[in-house]
Amino acid sequence: ALFLNQLQKDLEEVKELLTNATRKRVRDVLVAEKQKLELEIKNQPPPKPKDAAEEEKSSLGGYTVKINNYGWDQSDKFVKIYISLNGVQKLPAENVQVNFTERSFDLLVKNLNGKNYTMTFNNLLKPISVEGSSRKVKTDMVLVMCKKKREEKWDCLTQVEKESKEKEKAAYDTTDPSEGLMNILKKMYAEGDDEMKRTINKAWVESREKQYKGDIPMDI
């Protein structure tokens, strides 16, 4: 909820900057950032009812760690996600839980070396069969088996990854080299830290100053 709140504040600020921006290219960068933030907000998991969240928290105890590292592959029938967790095979079976929906799953590993581990995948690329999906505990690893509803190849795991790949491809696939460069700059600006944003802004300001002096007859 805290992360979602930060995203919403960022979005409000971008909208405010958009109302004051007059240069087309600056507006383009802000619009790109606005769309990215809106997509991130849309893909945040819905908050749990407070009582359920509190109850789960109190039943877990200890420190909860979010798992970010995983590997995956696929067969005709399954998408397989591999999560490395040292010693997980020593836990009671009920301590390793996976909940599936048609387009998501979340993993909870309770009390492994005094910590709890969670991993959530929302907006899976294609629908899965809840009944046919399962998890297996192996030595130092949990294997999540998502049963595909249709036997077809997945290019990636989630819808967000697909959209990100398509945007990146579009940035490079352009017949106009200057437009391609501008798209790459926008991407760098949208994903960069404050230092990166300052660097790009400085370059734009200097380009405009040169243009006004007649050094380059272009609208940068």
Side-chain angles (χ1 to χ4, degrees), residues 73-84:
D73 69 5
Q74 59 187 311
S75 62
D76 290 341
K77 294 184 178 178
F78 287 93
V79 170
K80 306 167 190 177
I81 296 93
Y82 300 88
I83 299 113
S84 296

PDB file of all heavy atoms in Angstrom, residues 73-84:
ATOM      1  N   ASP A  73      11.106 -22.115 -17.232  1.00  0.00           N
ATOM      2  CA  ASP A  73      11.074 -22.669 -18.570  1.00  0.00           C
ATOM      3  C   ASP A  73       9.675 -23.228 -18.818  1.00  0.00           C
ATOM      4  O   ASP A  73       8.772 -23.030 -18.005  1.00  0.00           O
ATOM      5  CB  ASP A  73      12.196 -23.695 -18.798  1.00  0.00           C
ATOM      6  CG  ASP A  73      11.991 -24.974 -17.984  1.00  0.00           C
ATOM      7  OD1 ASP A  73      10.948 -25.104 -17.317  1.00  0.00           O
ATOM      8  OD2 ASP A  73      12.877 -25.847 -18.019  1.00  0.00           O
ATOM      9  N   GLN A  74       9.477 -23.916 -19.929  1.00  0.00           N
ATOM     10  CA  GLN A  74       8.136 -24.384 -20.253  1.00  0.00           C
ATOM     11  C   GLN A  74       8.192 -25.652 -21.085  1.00  0.00           C
ATOM     12  O   GLN A  74       9.184 -25.949 -21.758  1.00  0.00           O
ATOM     13  CB  GLN A  74       7.354 -23.311 -21.006  1.00  0.00           C
ATOM     14  CG  GLN A  74       7.993 -22.876 -22.308  1.00  0.00           C
ATOM     15  CD  GLN A  74       7.270 -21.695 -22.943  1.00  0.00           C
ATOM     16  OE1 GLN A  74       6.049 -21.708 -23.087  1.00  0.00           O
ATOM     17  NE2 GLN A  74       8.029 -20.664 -23.305  1.00  0.00           N
ATOM     18  N   SER A  75       7.104 -26.413 -20.981  1.00  0.00           N
ATOM     19  CA  SER A  75       6.879 -27.558 -21.871  1.00  0.00           C
ATOM     20  C   SER A  75       5.584 -27.240 -22.624  1.00  0.00           C
ATOM     21  O   SER A  75       5.040 -26.139 -22.504  1.00  0.00           O
ATOM     22  CB  SER A  75       6.739 -28.839 -21.045  1.00  0.00           C
ATOM     23  OG  SER A  75       5.603 -28.740 -20.192  1.00  0.00           O
ATOM     24  N   ASP A  76       5.085 -28.186 -23.395  1.00  0.00           N
ATOM     25  CA  ASP A  76       3.817 -27.942 -24.104  1.00  0.00           C
ATOM     26  C   ASP A  76       2.681 -27.674 -23.123  1.00  0.00           C
ATOM     27  O   ASP A  76       1.793 -26.874 -23.392  1.00  0.00           O
ATOM     28  CB  ASP A  76       3.456 -29.155 -24.983  1.00  0.00           C
ATOM     29  CG  ASP A  76       4.394 -29.276 -26.171  1.00  0.00           C
ATOM     30  OD1 ASP A  76       5.045 -28.271 -26.513  1.00  0.00           O
ATOM     31  OD2 ASP A  76       4.489 -30.379 -26.746  1.00  0.00           O
ATOM     32  N   LYS A  77       2.713 -28.349 -21.967  1.00  0.00           N
ATOM     33  CA  LYS A  77       1.565 -28.285 -21.045  1.00  0.00           C
ATOM     34  C   LYS A  77       1.775 -27.392 -19.831  1.00  0.00           C
ATOM     35  O   LYS A  77       0.816 -26.950 -19.217  1.00  0.00           O
ATOM     36  CB  LYS A  77       1.227 -29.697 -20.556  1.00  0.00           C
ATOM     37  CG  LYS A  77       0.724 -30.594 -21.680  1.00  0.00           C
ATOM     38  CD  LYS A  77       0.311 -31.952 -21.162  1.00  0.00           C
ATOM     39  CE  LYS A  77      -0.224 -32.807 -22.315  1.00  0.00           C
ATOM     40  NZ  LYS A  77      -0.606 -34.159 -21.887  1.00  0.00           N
ATOM     41  N   PHE A  78       3.045 -27.129 -19.466  1.00  0.00           N
ATOM     42  CA  PHE A  78       3.302 -26.397 -18.218  1.00  0.00           C
ATOM     43  C   PHE A  78       4.274 -25.242 -18.415  1.00  0.00           C
ATOM     44  O   PHE A  78       5.177 -25.301 -19.249  1.00  0.00           O
ATOM     45  CB  PHE A  78       3.900 -27.337 -17.156  1.00  0.00           C
ATOM     46  CG  PHE A  78       2.933 -28.310 -16.576  1.00  0.00           C
ATOM     47  CD1 PHE A  78       2.800 -29.584 -17.116  1.00  0.00           C
ATOM     48  CD2 PHE A  78       2.140 -27.973 -15.489  1.00  0.00           C
ATOM     49  CE1 PHE A  78       1.899 -30.495 -16.594  1.00  0.00           C
ATOM     50  CE2 PHE A  78       1.236 -28.875 -14.948  1.00  0.00           C
ATOM     51  CZ  PHE A  78       1.114 -30.144 -15.506  1.00  0.00           C
ATOM     52  N   VAL A  79       4.075 -24.189 -17.592  1.00  0.00           N
ATOM     53  CA  VAL A  79       5.097 -23.167 -17.373  1.00  0.00           C
ATOM     54  C   VAL A  79       5.670 -23.469 -15.992  1.00  0.00           C
ATOM     55  O   VAL A  79       4.927 -23.614 -15.024  1.00  0.00           O
ATOM     56  CB  VAL A  79       4.491 -21.748 -17.415  1.00  0.00           C
ATOM     57  CG1 VAL A  79       5.519 -20.720 -16.947  1.00  0.00           C
ATOM     58  CG2 VAL A  79       4.028 -21.396 -18.809  1.00  0.00           C
ATOM     59  N   LYS A  80       7.004 -23.570 -15.907  1.00  0.00           N
ATOM     60  CA  LYS A  80       7.642 -23.999 -14.662  1.00  0.00           C
ATOM     61  C   LYS A  80       8.508 -22.868 -14.112  1.00  0.00           C
ATOM     62  O   LYS A  80       9.369 -22.354 -14.825  1.00  0.00           O
ATOM     63  CB  LYS A  80       8.519 -25.238 -14.909  1.00  0.00           C
ATOM     64  CG  LYS A  80       7.764 -26.382 -15.583  1.00  0.00           C
ATOM     65  CD  LYS A  80       8.753 -27.422 -16.087  1.00  0.00           C
ATOM     66  CE  LYS A  80       8.056 -28.433 -16.976  1.00  0.00           C
ATOM     67  NZ  LYS A  80       8.995 -29.416 -17.544  1.00  0.00           N
ATOM     68  N   ILE A  81       8.268 -22.507 -12.848  1.00  0.00           N
ATOM     69  CA  ILE A  81       9.042 -21.435 -12.199  1.00  0.00           C
ATOM     70  C   ILE A  81       9.878 -22.062 -11.082  1.00  0.00           C
ATOM     71  O   ILE A  81       9.333 -22.750 -10.205  1.00  0.00           O
ATOM     72  CB  ILE A  81       8.123 -20.326 -11.635  1.00  0.00           C
ATOM     73  CG1 ILE A  81       7.378 -19.618 -12.775  1.00  0.00           C
ATOM     74  CG2 ILE A  81       8.924 -19.280 -10.877  1.00  0.00           C
ATOM     75  CD1 ILE A  81       6.045 -20.171 -13.083  1.00  0.00           C
ATOM     76  N   TYR A  82      11.183 -21.821 -11.130  1.00  0.00           N
ATOM     77  CA  TYR A  82      12.110 -22.406 -10.161  1.00  0.00           C
ATOM     78  C   TYR A  82      12.557 -21.327  -9.167  1.00  0.00           C
ATOM     79  O   TYR A  82      13.090 -20.300  -9.563  1.00  0.00           O
ATOM     80  CB  TYR A  82      13.345 -22.956 -10.868  1.00  0.00           C
ATOM     81  CG  TYR A  82      13.044 -24.034 -11.888  1.00  0.00           C
ATOM     82  CD1 TYR A  82      12.744 -23.701 -13.218  1.00  0.00           C
ATOM     83  CD2 TYR A  82      13.049 -25.377 -11.538  1.00  0.00           C
ATOM     84  CE1 TYR A  82      12.466 -24.679 -14.163  1.00  0.00           C
ATOM     85  CE2 TYR A  82      12.772 -26.365 -12.475  1.00  0.00           C
ATOM     86  CZ  TYR A  82      12.479 -26.014 -13.786  1.00  0.00           C
ATOM     87  OH  TYR A  82      12.203 -26.983 -14.712  1.00  0.00           O
ATOM     88  N   ILE A  83      12.330 -21.583  -7.865  1.00  0.00           N
ATOM     89  CA  ILE A  83      12.712 -20.621  -6.830  1.00  0.00           C
ATOM     90  C   ILE A  83      13.688 -21.296  -5.877  1.00  0.00           C
ATOM     91  O   ILE A  83      13.340 -22.293  -5.224  1.00  0.00           O
ATOM     92  CB  ILE A  83      11.482 -20.112  -6.052  1.00  0.00           C
ATOM     93  CG1 ILE A  83      10.509 -19.395  -7.001  1.00  0.00           C
ATOM     94  CG2 ILE A  83      11.879 -19.163  -4.942  1.00  0.00           C
ATOM     95  CD1 ILE A  83       9.210 -20.092  -7.179  1.00  0.00           C
ATOM     96  N   SER A  84      14.910 -20.783  -5.788  1.00  0.00           N
ATOM     97  CA  SER A  84      15.931 -21.376  -4.908  1.00  0.00           C
ATOM     98  C   SER A  84      15.749 -20.898  -3.471  1.00  0.00           C
ATOM     99  O   SER A  84      15.713 -19.695  -3.215  1.00  0.00           O
ATOM    100  CB  SER A  84      17.334 -20.990  -5.388  1.00  0.00           C
ATOM    101  OG  SER A  84      17.574 -21.536  -6.662  1.00  0.00           O
TER     102      SER A  84
END
